[in-house]
Each structure stands twice: as structure tokens, then as C-alpha cells.
Amino acid sequence: MAEIVEGYDDIKIATVCSHSSLQIFHGARKEGFGTLGIAIGSPPRFYDAFPRGKPDEYIILDDYTGILDIADDLIEANAVLIPHGSFVEYLGAKNVLRLGVPMFGNRRVLEWESDRRKQREWLTSAGVRMPSIIDNPKSIDRPVLVKYDGAKGGRGFFIAKDEWDFKIGIDPTQNYMIQEYVMGTRYYLHYFYSPISIEGYRLSKGSLQLLSMDRRDETNIDEIYKLGSMEDLKRLGIFPSFVVTGNVPVVLRESLLPMVFEMGERTVERSIELFGGLIGPFCLETIVTDKLDFVVFEISARIVAGTNPFIGGSPYAELIEPDLSTGIRIAREIRNAKGAGRLAEIIS
Ligand code: AMP
């Protein structure tokens, strides 16, 4: 893939029109790249309302797997694909792995990220704390979250406080994991790891940035407390859900920032040992307890939609460069790597 991209005359930044694509196209444009949007059915009409975010041109497909059939066209267009959460979810990790088009980042991360157990092995072996796992439902003696394999955006999660709760909630036909429900406040930390930069917070190779952080709005869990106790609601057939509807900017008290960098650093260093490194943007989804410890319940190894409140910069990005967004940072990395003849290190 690196060879292909090195042969391009004029790189074009391409992605699926969804999720954080307006930010990605906006950043690419600011860094002087042409942009290509892949849309299903027709170009999203509301993109016309955002002229600085919409792509220069579109490729229209009938469905997401159609991307596999247009690999040659994308290469012909000098496209570098930027994966985002919806891109990977709609196309499927296996298809992303076999898609024959240069892509920003290291695809090998998918193998470690898409399987909850492997994700856990990666992070815990990096020394990052995760919620404890309960193997036997009989041992549930505190609030737990039951997560089905592949459940996305909190759909298909349920809370149980004892074995009885578990029994009435469980769908035994699916694979699940019982995780300790961590009490505290949530912070979704948006990092960027560059193997080629030598500025700022240095790692064994390259450097790490903290660009922003958000908290997700989740329906109905965020508001359900207004209706009274969960036990009463359960009797009425109303259960908590964790479906993401939006993102809210947050900042952390400064004394927690050293831990934020330490966790990000360990995650990247371990990824280099395990699979050659997690390249570009990633997000640690954390809960800070009242003991001021971080517990990481998930990692997203690419741009997350939680970076969208910061298209015009964030309180952290402002301390690096005015108006810096994750979208701009991605395009900048491609530009820097091309200039340094090091595209092979950031493209797979
Ligand atoms: P996820 O799909 O892993 O991002 O999780 C969806 C939502 O469930 C999160 O945004 C949190 O609100 C909540 N959540 C996930 N894991 C835990 C946990 N171990 N303890 C408490 N809340 C959690």
C-alpha cells in the first residue's frame, strides 16, 4: 500500500460520508488536499449546508461493501482512505483488512481492537487498568454491565445487580462479557500518536499529543433518574439504555493530566511491541473514580465522533497550535510523512 501511495501524483483524502467525515474533509482542505466522499445511494443533501466540510467530489455506491469493488477507481483517483468508526462498522473489520486501497494508520490494530478479549490483553498488559470481569453470574455481588460481543454504542448492554437480574436480562444465544460497573465520571480522551514527529511529548519513537476530550450524551441512561428508581421502572418494562446521541466538550482537572499521558504512552508503546504500533488518532474511554483513578473500559483505534465539537480547536489543541483539529492533524501527518519520504510508516 505504501508503494502505491508513493506513486501518487497528488494525494486525495477519501472517506465514507458519515461520523466525522465533515471534520476529516475540512482538515484535508485546510492542509491543501483534494477530497473525495463515498456516499451510499446519493450525496447527503445536508452536506450542501456545510461548504467548508463537504467533499470536492463524490463516489456513489449502492452499499458499503461496494467499496471493495471500486479499489482500482480509488487508486486511480490517488485516494488515501481515512477510517472512522462508521466506516469500520459498516464495512466490517474483515473487509477493511482486505480492502486494496491505501489507508491511513495500521490496519493490524483491528485484530486487537475488534475482539474484546484481545483488546483487554493489549491494555492490561500495557499496565492500563480495566473494569474487572466476573466469570460466573452466581458471583454477581455488585452492579455489573453485561456486554454482548460486537454490541455497538451501548446497544445491547444491560445492568444487573445480582444473579436474578442477570437471568431475566440475558440472551443466552449470544456471547457476552460481565463487567464490573465502574462508578465515577466518564472522560473520552482523544490522542494522536505520530511515529515521525519529534516534537512535544516524546515516546520511544515519535510523539504523543492530547487533542481534546468529550463526554457522550447517552439516552436514556443520562435522564432516566428523573423518573424515579430503576427498580420501579423495571416493573413498568422500562430499562436503561446507553445509545449515543451527541457529544459534550469537557476538560479535566490539571492534576489528572500526567495520568492521561502515562496511559496513552503505555497503550502506544505496547501496541508497537504487539503489532507495530497504533498510528494516528485514538481514544481511551475512561471512568475516573472518586479515588481519582482512571479505569479504561474501551479503546477506539481511530478518529472518534467525540472530536467533532473541536473542528475549530479545543482547549488542549489550542496549546499546541491555534484551531488545530483531529481532522487537520491527520492531513498534516500525511503531508509531513510525504515530505519526509516516510509514508510507509503511516499508511497500510
Ligand atoms: P461502549 O459501547 O463500550 O462505549 O459503552 C457504552 C457506554 O456504556 C459507555 O459510554 C458508558 O456510559 C457505559 N459503560 C461501558 N462500560 C462501563 C463500565 N464498565 N462501567 C460503567 N459504565 C460503562
Side-chain angles (χ1 to χ4, degrees):
M1 288 300 127
E3 254 170 50
I4 294 176
V5 83
E6 268 151 17
Y8 284 174
D9 297 329
D10 204 7
I11 293 175
K12 221 172 255 172
I13 301 286
T15 195
V16 167
C17 295
S18 178
H19 191 269
S20 46
S21 67
L22 290 165
Q23 181 190 168
I24 292 169
F25 296 136
H26 172 260
R29 181 168 289 124
K30 284 214 152 187
E31 290 297 301
F33 290 104
T35 54
L36 176 62
I38 301 165
I40 307 305
S42 59
R45 191 172 154 227
F46 74 94
Y47 274 33
D48 290 338
F50 302 114
R52 278 151 52 92
K54 73 179 244 190
D56 299 325
E57 51 186 304
Y58 291 98
I59 291 186
I60 307 297
L61 300 174
D62 291 335
D63 57 45
Y64 285 104
T65 51
I67 299 176
L68 296 169
D69 306 325
I70 57 156
D72 291 344
D73 303 314
L74 289 168
I75 289 172
E76 184 80 11
N78 288 357
V80 169
L81 287 169
I82 313 296
H84 55 57
S86 303
F87 184 122
V88 173
E89 193 183 333
Y90 298 149
L91 192 55
K94 283 204 180 87
N95 285 332
V96 173
L97 285 170
R98 69 193 180 95
L99 179 58
V101 182
M103 192 176 281
F104 179 63
N106 180 359
R107 296 187 215 206
R108 287 192 58 205
V109 70
L110 279 166
E111 200 186 305
W112 288 84
E113 183 203 14
S114 53
D115 174 333
R116 271 192 218 290
R117 282 152 193 91
K118 285 199 89 168
Q119 193 179 106
R120 194 173 177 84
E121 186 186 325
W122 167 15
L123 295 179
T124 53
S125 69
V128 170
R129 186 171 156 201
M130 293 195 80
S132 53
I133 297 296
I134 291 151
D135 291 323
N136 186 344
K138 286 194 185 350
S139 321
I140 300 175
D141 57 358
R142 62 200 132 144
V144 297
L145 205 56
V146 182
K147 301 182 171 187
Y148 294 112
D149 273 0
K152 281 278 174 301
R155 268 183 208 279
F157 286 14
F158 73 93
I159 298 173
K161 289 197 285 311
D162 49 32
E163 192 191 357
W164 184 81
D165 267 352
F166 173 84
K167 278 189 174 152
I168 56 164
I170 194 68
D171 169 1
T173 64
Q174 294 196 53
N175 284 334
Y176 60 84
M177 179 186 263
I178 308 174
Q179 222 176 58
E180 157 201 16
Y181 191 98
V182 181
M183 299 297 297
T185 41
R186 291 169 296 126
Y187 293 89
Y188 298 72
L189 313 171
H190 313 145
Y191 300 89
F192 191 98
Y193 167 61
S194 165
I196 59 176
S197 159
I198 49 163
E199 274 155 26
Y201 190 88
R202 300 284 301 273
L203 303 192
S204 64
K205 182 182 176 211
S207 72
L208 181 69
Q209 290 174 321
L210 174 72
L211 292 181
S212 49
M213 50 185 87
D214 79 301
R215 173 171 309 141
R216 293 183 187 159
D217 267 341
E218 295 174 332
T219 181
N220 58 22
I221 186 81
D222 290 347
E223 302 287 333
I224 201 170
Y225 69 93
K226 291 179 179 167
L227 289 180
S229 88
M230 293 242 191
E231 293 311 314
D232 290 345
L233 293 174
K234 231 184 236 180
R235 276 194 283 278
L236 296 171
I238 300 171
F239 296 91
S241 58
F242 297 83
V243 178
V244 179
T245 53
N247 304 85
V248 189
V250 288
V251 290
L252 268 174
R253 53 193 278 187
E254 190 181 303
S255 57
L256 294 172
L257 288 179
M259 276 192 270
V260 168
F261 277 93
E262 214 173 280
M263 285 189 304
E265 175 168 7
R266 286 162 180 250
T267 301
V268 172
E269 295 290 3
R270 186 71 183 129
S271 76
I272 295 172
E273 290 164 8
L274 289 173
F275 54 87
L278 156 77
I279 310 295
F282 68 100
C283 173
L284 291 181
E285 305 182 7
T286 74
I287 297 171
V288 181
T289 69
D290 57 7
K291 305 272 183 316
L292 298 180
D293 290 323
F294 279 90
V295 183
V296 174
F297 58 90
E298 182 123 18
I299 181 168
S300 289
R302 63 196 56 75
I303 183 169
V304 289
T307 59
N308 285 337
F310 310 107
I311 291 177
S314 82
Y316 297 106
E318 173 66 20
L319 302 174
I320 302 171
E321 178 186 310
D323 306 330
L324 181 65
S325 70
T326 298
I328 293 176
R329 187 63 191 83
I330 291 170
R332 176 86 46 83
E333 187 74 357
I334 295 172
R335 197 155 61 87
N336 290 346
K338 186 170 167 60
R342 295 176 69 178
L343 281 166
E345 292 174 56
I346 62 150
I347 300 283
S348 65

Short mmCIF file of all heavy atoms in Angstrom, two decimals, residues 95-147:
data_model
loop_
_atom_site.label_atom_id
_atom_site.label_comp_id
_atom_site.label_asym_id
_atom_site.label_seq_id
_atom_site.Cartn_x
_atom_site.Cartn_y
_atom_site.Cartn_z
N ASN A 95 -13.49 -7.03 6.07
CA ASN A 95 -13.43 -6.36 4.77
C ASN A 95 -12.41 -5.22 4.77
O ASN A 95 -11.73 -4.99 3.77
CB ASN A 95 -14.81 -5.82 4.37
CG ASN A 95 -15.73 -6.94 3.93
OD1 ASN A 95 -15.28 -7.97 3.43
ND2 ASN A 95 -17.03 -6.75 4.12
N VAL A 96 -12.33 -4.51 5.89
CA VAL A 96 -11.35 -3.42 5.96
C VAL A 96 -9.94 -4.01 5.79
O VAL A 96 -9.10 -3.45 5.10
CB VAL A 96 -11.46 -2.64 7.30
CG1 VAL A 96 -10.32 -1.64 7.44
CG2 VAL A 96 -12.80 -1.93 7.39
N LEU A 97 -9.72 -5.19 6.41
CA LEU A 97 -8.39 -5.81 6.32
C LEU A 97 -8.02 -6.19 4.89
O LEU A 97 -6.87 -6.16 4.51
CB LEU A 97 -8.32 -7.05 7.23
CG LEU A 97 -8.20 -6.73 8.73
CD1 LEU A 97 -8.38 -7.99 9.57
CD2 LEU A 97 -6.85 -6.08 9.04
N ARG A 98 -9.04 -6.54 4.08
CA ARG A 98 -8.68 -6.98 2.72
C ARG A 98 -8.91 -5.92 1.64
O ARG A 98 -8.71 -6.18 0.46
CB ARG A 98 -9.42 -8.29 2.36
CG ARG A 98 -10.92 -8.17 2.19
CD ARG A 98 -11.54 -9.57 2.18
NE ARG A 98 -12.97 -9.49 2.01
CZ ARG A 98 -13.60 -9.59 0.84
NH1 ARG A 98 -12.93 -9.79 -0.26
NH2 ARG A 98 -14.91 -9.51 0.79
N LEU A 99 -9.31 -4.73 2.05
CA LEU A 99 -9.56 -3.66 1.09
C LEU A 99 -8.24 -3.17 0.48
O LEU A 99 -7.35 -2.72 1.20
CB LEU A 99 -10.29 -2.52 1.81
CG LEU A 99 -10.65 -1.27 1.02
CD1 LEU A 99 -11.53 -1.61 -0.17
CD2 LEU A 99 -11.38 -0.28 1.92
N GLY A 100 -8.12 -3.27 -0.85
CA GLY A 100 -6.84 -2.99 -1.51
C GLY A 100 -6.60 -1.53 -1.85
O GLY A 100 -6.25 -1.21 -2.99
N VAL A 101 -6.83 -0.65 -0.91
CA VAL A 101 -6.62 0.79 -1.14
C VAL A 101 -5.78 1.32 0.04
O VAL A 101 -6.03 0.93 1.18
CB VAL A 101 -7.98 1.55 -1.16
CG1 VAL A 101 -7.77 3.03 -1.45
CG2 VAL A 101 -8.93 0.94 -2.18
N PRO A 102 -4.80 2.20 -0.24
CA PRO A 102 -4.00 2.75 0.86
C PRO A 102 -4.89 3.40 1.92
O PRO A 102 -5.83 4.13 1.59
CB PRO A 102 -3.11 3.80 0.17
CG PRO A 102 -3.01 3.32 -1.24
CD PRO A 102 -4.34 2.70 -1.56
N MET A 103 -4.58 3.07 3.16
CA MET A 103 -5.40 3.58 4.27
C MET A 103 -4.50 4.20 5.32
O MET A 103 -3.40 3.68 5.58
CB MET A 103 -6.16 2.39 4.86
CG MET A 103 -7.25 2.77 5.81
SD MET A 103 -8.14 1.31 6.36
CE MET A 103 -9.20 1.01 4.98
N PHE A 104 -4.94 5.30 5.90
CA PHE A 104 -4.16 5.94 6.96
C PHE A 104 -4.20 5.07 8.22
O PHE A 104 -5.26 4.58 8.60
CB PHE A 104 -4.74 7.33 7.27
CG PHE A 104 -4.02 8.05 8.36
CD1 PHE A 104 -2.68 8.39 8.20
CD2 PHE A 104 -4.64 8.36 9.55
CE1 PHE A 104 -1.99 9.04 9.21
CE2 PHE A 104 -3.97 9.02 10.56
CZ PHE A 104 -2.64 9.36 10.39
N GLY A 105 -3.03 4.87 8.84
CA GLY A 105 -2.97 4.08 10.08
C GLY A 105 -2.52 2.65 9.83
O GLY A 105 -2.23 2.27 8.69
N ASN A 106 -2.48 1.88 10.91
CA ASN A 106 -2.02 0.49 10.84
C ASN A 106 -3.23 -0.43 10.97
O ASN A 106 -3.83 -0.54 12.04
CB ASN A 106 -1.03 0.25 12.00
CG ASN A 106 -0.51 -1.17 12.01
OD1 ASN A 106 -0.89 -2.01 11.18
ND2 ASN A 106 0.37 -1.46 12.96
N ARG A 107 -3.56 -1.12 9.87
CA ARG A 107 -4.78 -1.96 9.92
C ARG A 107 -4.66 -3.11 10.91
O ARG A 107 -5.67 -3.68 11.31
CB ARG A 107 -5.06 -2.56 8.55
CG ARG A 107 -5.38 -1.55 7.52
CD ARG A 107 -5.81 -2.26 6.26
NE ARG A 107 -5.34 -1.48 5.13
CZ ARG A 107 -5.92 -1.51 3.94
NH1 ARG A 107 -6.94 -2.30 3.72
NH2 ARG A 107 -5.44 -0.77 2.96
N ARG A 108 -3.44 -3.47 11.25
CA ARG A 108 -3.30 -4.63 12.15
C ARG A 108 -3.95 -4.37 13.51
O ARG A 108 -4.23 -5.29 14.27
CB ARG A 108 -1.82 -4.98 12.33
CG ARG A 108 -1.24 -5.63 11.07
CD ARG A 108 0.11 -6.21 11.34
NE ARG A 108 0.08 -7.20 12.41
CZ ARG A 108 1.13 -7.52 13.15
NH1 ARG A 108 2.29 -6.92 12.96
NH2 ARG A 108 1.05 -8.43 14.11
N VAL A 109 -4.19 -3.10 13.81
CA VAL A 109 -4.82 -2.78 15.09
C VAL A 109 -6.22 -3.40 15.19
O VAL A 109 -6.70 -3.74 16.28
CB VAL A 109 -4.90 -1.24 15.29
CG1 VAL A 109 -5.89 -0.59 14.36
CG2 VAL A 109 -5.23 -0.89 16.73
N LEU A 110 -6.87 -3.60 14.04
CA LEU A 110 -8.24 -4.13 14.03
C LEU A 110 -8.33 -5.50 14.70
O LEU A 110 -9.30 -5.81 15.39
CB LEU A 110 -8.75 -4.25 12.60
CG LEU A 110 -9.27 -2.95 12.00
CD1 LEU A 110 -9.43 -3.09 10.50
CD2 LEU A 110 -10.59 -2.57 12.65
N GLU A 111 -7.31 -6.29 14.46
CA GLU A 111 -7.25 -7.64 15.02
C GLU A 111 -7.28 -7.56 16.56
O GLU A 111 -7.85 -8.41 17.23
CB GLU A 111 -5.89 -8.15 14.57
CG GLU A 111 -5.62 -9.61 14.54
CD GLU A 111 -4.14 -9.75 14.19
OE1 GLU A 111 -3.70 -9.20 13.12
OE2 GLU A 111 -3.41 -10.36 14.98
N TRP A 112 -6.66 -6.53 17.12
CA TRP A 112 -6.55 -6.40 18.58
C TRP A 112 -7.71 -5.63 19.17
O TRP A 112 -8.01 -5.74 20.35
CB TRP A 112 -5.23 -5.71 18.94
CG TRP A 112 -4.10 -6.63 18.71
CD1 TRP A 112 -3.45 -6.86 17.53
CD2 TRP A 112 -3.53 -7.53 19.66
NE1 TRP A 112 -2.51 -7.84 17.70
CE2 TRP A 112 -2.53 -8.25 19.00
CE3 TRP A 112 -3.76 -7.78 21.02
CZ2 TRP A 112 -1.77 -9.23 19.64
CZ3 TRP A 112 -3.00 -8.74 21.66
CH2 TRP A 112 -2.02 -9.45 20.98
N GLU A 113 -8.35 -4.83 18.35
CA GLU A 113 -9.38 -3.95 18.87
C GLU A 113 -10.77 -4.57 18.77
O GLU A 113 -11.62 -4.37 19.64
CB GLU A 113 -9.35 -2.65 18.05
CG GLU A 113 -10.29 -1.60 18.50
CD GLU A 113 -10.59 -0.62 17.39
OE1 GLU A 113 -10.28 -0.91 16.22
OE2 GLU A 113 -11.14 0.44 17.70
N SER A 114 -11.02 -5.33 17.68
CA SER A 114 -12.39 -5.76 17.43
C SER A 114 -12.82 -6.95 18.30
O SER A 114 -14.00 -7.26 18.37
CB SER A 114 -12.60 -6.08 15.95
OG SER A 114 -11.63 -6.99 15.52
N ASP A 115 -11.87 -7.59 18.98
CA ASP A 115 -12.19 -8.70 19.86
C ASP A 115 -11.98 -8.21 21.31
O ASP A 115 -10.86 -7.82 21.68
CB ASP A 115 -11.24 -9.86 19.50
CG ASP A 115 -11.36 -11.05 20.43
OD1 ASP A 115 -11.73 -10.86 21.60
OD2 ASP A 115 -11.03 -12.16 19.99
N ARG A 116 -13.06 -8.20 22.10
CA ARG A 116 -12.98 -7.65 23.47
C ARG A 116 -11.87 -8.28 24.31
O ARG A 116 -11.22 -7.61 25.11
CB ARG A 116 -14.29 -7.89 24.21
CG ARG A 116 -15.29 -6.80 24.02
CD ARG A 116 -16.44 -6.96 25.01
NE ARG A 116 -17.70 -6.62 24.40
CZ ARG A 116 -18.06 -5.39 24.07
NH1 ARG A 116 -17.25 -4.38 24.30
NH2 ARG A 116 -19.21 -5.15 23.49
N ARG A 117 -11.65 -9.58 24.11
CA ARG A 117 -10.66 -10.26 24.94
C ARG A 117 -9.24 -9.84 24.56
O ARG A 117 -8.37 -9.63 25.40
CB ARG A 117 -10.84 -11.78 24.87
CG ARG A 117 -12.00 -12.21 25.75
CD ARG A 117 -12.72 -13.46 25.33
NE ARG A 117 -13.99 -13.57 26.08
CZ ARG A 117 -15.16 -13.09 25.68
NH1 ARG A 117 -15.26 -12.45 24.53
NH2 ARG A 117 -16.24 -13.23 26.42
N LYS A 118 -9.02 -9.71 23.24
CA LYS A 118 -7.69 -9.27 22.79
C LYS A 118 -7.42 -7.82 23.18
O LYS A 118 -6.31 -7.45 23.54
CB LYS A 118 -7.55 -9.44 21.27
CG LYS A 118 -7.36 -10.90 20.88
CD LYS A 118 -6.78 -11.04 19.51
CE LYS A 118 -5.27 -11.05 19.56
NZ LYS A 118 -4.66 -11.47 18.30
N GLN A 119 -8.48 -7.02 23.10
CA GLN A 119 -8.36 -5.61 23.50
C GLN A 119 -7.91 -5.53 24.97
O GLN A 119 -7.03 -4.76 25.34
CB GLN A 119 -9.73 -4.94 23.34
CG GLN A 119 -9.66 -3.46 23.43
CD GLN A 119 -11.02 -2.80 23.25
OE1 GLN A 119 -11.57 -2.32 24.23
NE2 GLN A 119 -11.56 -2.75 22.05
N ARG A 120 -8.51 -6.40 25.75
CA ARG A 120 -8.19 -6.44 27.19
C ARG A 120 -6.74 -6.88 27.42
O ARG A 120 -6.03 -6.32 28.25
CB ARG A 120 -9.17 -7.42 27.84
CG ARG A 120 -9.21 -7.33 29.30
CD ARG A 120 -10.30 -8.20 29.88
NE ARG A 120 -10.20 -8.09 31.31
CZ ARG A 120 -10.74 -7.10 32.01
NH1 ARG A 120 -11.46 -6.19 31.42
NH2 ARG A 120 -10.55 -7.03 33.30
N GLU A 121 -6.34 -7.88 26.64
CA GLU A 121 -4.97 -8.39 26.77
C GLU A 121 -3.97 -7.26 26.45
O GLU A 121 -2.99 -7.07 27.17
CB GLU A 121 -4.83 -9.54 25.76
CG GLU A 121 -3.55 -10.31 25.82
CD GLU A 121 -3.52 -11.33 24.66
OE1 GLU A 121 -4.58 -11.88 24.29
OE2 GLU A 121 -2.41 -11.53 24.12
N TRP A 122 -4.25 -6.52 25.37
CA TRP A 122 -3.39 -5.39 24.97
C TRP A 122 -3.29 -4.36 26.11
O TRP A 122 -2.20 -4.01 26.58
CB TRP A 122 -3.95 -4.79 23.69
CG TRP A 122 -3.44 -3.45 23.24
CD1 TRP A 122 -2.32 -2.79 23.67
CD2 TRP A 122 -4.05 -2.61 22.24
NE1 TRP A 122 -2.19 -1.59 23.01
CE2 TRP A 122 -3.23 -1.45 22.14
CE3 TRP A 122 -5.18 -2.72 21.44
CZ2 TRP A 122 -3.53 -0.42 21.25
CZ3 TRP A 122 -5.47 -1.68 20.57
CH2 TRP A 122 -4.65 -0.55 20.47
N LEU A 123 -4.44 -3.89 26.56
CA LEU A 123 -4.42 -2.77 27.51
C LEU A 123 -3.92 -3.19 28.89
O LEU A 123 -3.13 -2.46 29.51
CB LEU A 123 -5.81 -2.13 27.62
CG LEU A 123 -6.30 -1.45 26.33
CD1 LEU A 123 -7.69 -0.88 26.51
CD2 LEU A 123 -5.35 -0.33 25.91
N THR A 124 -4.36 -4.35 29.37
CA THR A 124 -3.91 -4.73 30.71
C THR A 124 -2.42 -5.07 30.70
O THR A 124 -1.71 -4.75 31.64
CB THR A 124 -4.74 -5.90 31.30
OG1 THR A 124 -4.75 -6.96 30.37
CG2 THR A 124 -6.16 -5.49 31.60
N SER A 125 -1.95 -5.66 29.59
CA SER A 125 -0.50 -5.96 29.54
C SER A 125 0.30 -4.67 29.38
O SER A 125 1.52 -4.65 29.58
CB SER A 125 -0.17 -6.96 28.43
OG SER A 125 -0.37 -6.36 27.16
N ALA A 126 -0.39 -3.56 29.03
CA ALA A 126 0.29 -2.26 28.97
C ALA A 126 0.29 -1.59 30.34
O ALA A 126 0.82 -0.50 30.51
CB ALA A 126 -0.43 -1.36 27.96
N GLY A 127 -0.37 -2.22 31.32
CA GLY A 127 -0.44 -1.63 32.65
C GLY A 127 -1.57 -0.63 32.79
O GLY A 127 -1.58 0.19 33.70
N VAL A 128 -2.56 -0.70 31.89
CA VAL A 128 -3.72 0.19 31.97
C VAL A 128 -4.83 -0.56 32.71
O VAL A 128 -5.11 -1.72 32.41
CB VAL A 128 -4.19 0.58 30.54
CG1 VAL A 128 -5.53 1.29 30.58
CG2 VAL A 128 -3.14 1.44 29.86
N ARG A 129 -5.44 0.11 33.68
CA ARG A 129 -6.48 -0.58 34.47
C ARG A 129 -7.79 -0.64 33.70
O ARG A 129 -8.23 0.35 33.12
CB ARG A 129 -6.67 0.18 35.79
CG ARG A 129 -7.61 -0.53 36.70
CD ARG A 129 -7.63 0.09 38.08
NE ARG A 129 -8.90 -0.23 38.70
CZ ARG A 129 -9.44 0.44 39.70
NH1 ARG A 129 -8.82 1.49 40.21
NH2 ARG A 129 -10.60 0.08 40.20
N MET A 130 -8.42 -1.83 33.73
CA MET A 130 -9.73 -2.01 33.08
C MET A 130 -10.74 -2.51 34.12
O MET A 130 -10.33 -3.01 35.18
CB MET A 130 -9.61 -3.01 31.93
CG MET A 130 -8.76 -2.49 30.78
SD MET A 130 -8.99 -3.46 29.29
CE MET A 130 -10.52 -2.80 28.61
N PRO A 131 -12.05 -2.43 33.84
CA PRO A 131 -13.03 -2.95 34.81
C PRO A 131 -12.81 -4.45 35.02
O PRO A 131 -12.44 -5.15 34.07
CB PRO A 131 -14.38 -2.71 34.11
CG PRO A 131 -14.11 -1.74 33.02
CD PRO A 131 -12.68 -1.90 32.62
N SER A 132 -13.04 -4.93 36.24
CA SER A 132 -12.83 -6.37 36.44
C SER A 132 -13.94 -7.16 35.74
O SER A 132 -15.03 -6.64 35.46
CB SER A 132 -12.72 -6.71 37.92
OG SER A 132 -13.82 -6.18 38.58
N ILE A 133 -13.63 -8.42 35.47
CA ILE A 133 -14.56 -9.30 34.75
C ILE A 133 -15.09 -10.34 35.73
O ILE A 133 -14.34 -10.85 36.57
CB ILE A 133 -13.78 -10.05 33.63
CG1 ILE A 133 -13.24 -9.05 32.61
CG2 ILE A 133 -14.63 -11.11 32.95
CD1 ILE A 133 -14.32 -8.32 31.88
N ILE A 134 -16.38 -10.63 35.64
CA ILE A 134 -16.97 -11.64 36.51
C ILE A 134 -17.30 -12.85 35.64
O ILE A 134 -18.05 -12.74 34.67
CB ILE A 134 -18.21 -11.06 37.22
CG1 ILE A 134 -17.70 -10.01 38.22
CG2 ILE A 134 -19.03 -12.13 37.93
CD1 ILE A 134 -18.63 -8.91 38.50
N ASP A 135 -16.65 -14.00 35.95
CA ASP A 135 -16.80 -15.16 35.07
C ASP A 135 -18.12 -15.88 35.28
O ASP A 135 -18.71 -16.39 34.34
CB ASP A 135 -15.64 -16.14 35.30
CG ASP A 135 -14.33 -15.54 34.79
OD1 ASP A 135 -14.39 -14.86 33.75
OD2 ASP A 135 -13.29 -15.71 35.45
N ASN A 136 -18.58 -15.93 36.54
CA ASN A 136 -19.77 -16.71 36.83
C ASN A 136 -20.90 -15.78 37.32
O ASN A 136 -20.74 -15.07 38.30
CB ASN A 136 -19.39 -17.71 37.94
CG ASN A 136 -20.52 -18.68 38.22
OD1 ASN A 136 -21.67 -18.44 37.81
ND2 ASN A 136 -20.19 -19.75 38.91
N PRO A 137 -22.06 -15.83 36.64
CA PRO A 137 -23.18 -14.95 37.05
C PRO A 137 -23.55 -15.12 38.52
O PRO A 137 -24.05 -14.19 39.15
CB PRO A 137 -24.34 -15.38 36.15
CG PRO A 137 -23.72 -16.14 35.03
CD PRO A 137 -22.39 -16.66 35.48
N LYS A 138 -23.29 -16.31 39.08
CA LYS A 138 -23.59 -16.54 40.50
C LYS A 138 -22.77 -15.62 41.40
O LYS A 138 -23.13 -15.37 42.55
CB LYS A 138 -23.26 -18.00 40.88
CG LYS A 138 -24.26 -19.02 40.35
CD LYS A 138 -24.03 -20.35 41.06
CE LYS A 138 -24.84 -21.51 40.57
NZ LYS A 138 -25.93 -21.33 39.65
N SER A 139 -21.63 -15.14 40.88
CA SER A 139 -20.76 -14.29 41.72
C SER A 139 -21.09 -12.80 41.60
O SER A 139 -20.33 -11.98 42.09
CB SER A 139 -19.29 -14.45 41.31
OG SER A 139 -18.98 -15.76 41.00
N ILE A 140 -22.19 -12.46 40.92
CA ILE A 140 -22.51 -11.03 40.80
C ILE A 140 -22.96 -10.51 42.17
O ILE A 140 -24.01 -10.90 42.68
CB ILE A 140 -23.64 -10.78 39.74
CG1 ILE A 140 -23.19 -11.29 38.38
CG2 ILE A 140 -23.99 -9.28 39.67
CD1 ILE A 140 -24.26 -11.20 37.30
N ASP A 141 -22.13 -9.66 42.76
CA ASP A 141 -22.45 -9.15 44.10
C ASP A 141 -22.41 -7.62 44.14
O ASP A 141 -22.32 -7.01 45.18
CB ASP A 141 -21.47 -9.74 45.13
CG ASP A 141 -20.03 -9.44 44.77
OD1 ASP A 141 -19.80 -8.83 43.70
OD2 ASP A 141 -19.13 -9.82 45.54
N ARG A 142 -22.37 -7.01 42.95
CA ARG A 142 -22.37 -5.54 42.84
C ARG A 142 -22.86 -5.20 41.44
O ARG A 142 -22.98 -6.11 40.61
CB ARG A 142 -20.96 -5.01 43.07
CG ARG A 142 -19.98 -5.51 42.04
CD ARG A 142 -18.57 -5.39 42.51
NE ARG A 142 -17.90 -6.66 42.28
CZ ARG A 142 -16.64 -6.77 41.92
NH1 ARG A 142 -15.90 -5.70 41.82
NH2 ARG A 142 -16.09 -7.94 41.69
N PRO A 143 -23.14 -3.93 41.14
CA PRO A 143 -23.63 -3.62 39.80
C PRO A 143 -22.64 -4.03 38.71
O PRO A 143 -21.43 -3.81 38.86
CB PRO A 143 -23.79 -2.10 39.82
CG PRO A 143 -23.90 -1.75 41.26
CD PRO A 143 -23.07 -2.74 42.01
N VAL A 144 -23.16 -4.69 37.70
CA VAL A 144 -22.32 -5.09 36.56
C VAL A 144 -23.01 -4.64 35.27
O VAL A 144 -24.22 -4.39 35.24
CB VAL A 144 -22.10 -6.63 36.50
CG1 VAL A 144 -21.36 -7.13 37.71
CG2 VAL A 144 -23.42 -7.38 36.29
N LEU A 145 -22.19 -4.60 34.22
CA LEU A 145 -22.72 -4.32 32.89
C LEU A 145 -22.49 -5.57 32.06
O LEU A 145 -21.37 -6.08 32.01
CB LEU A 145 -21.95 -3.14 32.31
CG LEU A 145 -22.63 -2.30 31.26
CD1 LEU A 145 -23.96 -1.76 31.75
CD2 LEU A 145 -21.72 -1.13 30.90
N VAL A 146 -23.56 -6.08 31.46
CA VAL A 146 -23.41 -7.26 30.62
C VAL A 146 -23.32 -6.77 29.18
O VAL A 146 -24.20 -6.06 28.69
CB VAL A 146 -24.59 -8.23 30.80
CG1 VAL A 146 -24.39 -9.49 29.96
CG2 VAL A 146 -24.76 -8.58 32.27
N LYS A 147 -22.21 -7.13 28.51
CA LYS A 147 -21.96 -6.62 27.15
C LYS A 147 -21.91 -7.79 26.19
O LYS A 147 -21.12 -8.71 26.38
CB LYS A 147 -20.61 -5.89 27.09
CG LYS A 147 -20.48 -4.71 28.03
CD LYS A 147 -19.12 -4.04 27.86
CE LYS A 147 -19.07 -2.74 28.64
NZ LYS A 147 -17.85 -1.97 28.40
#
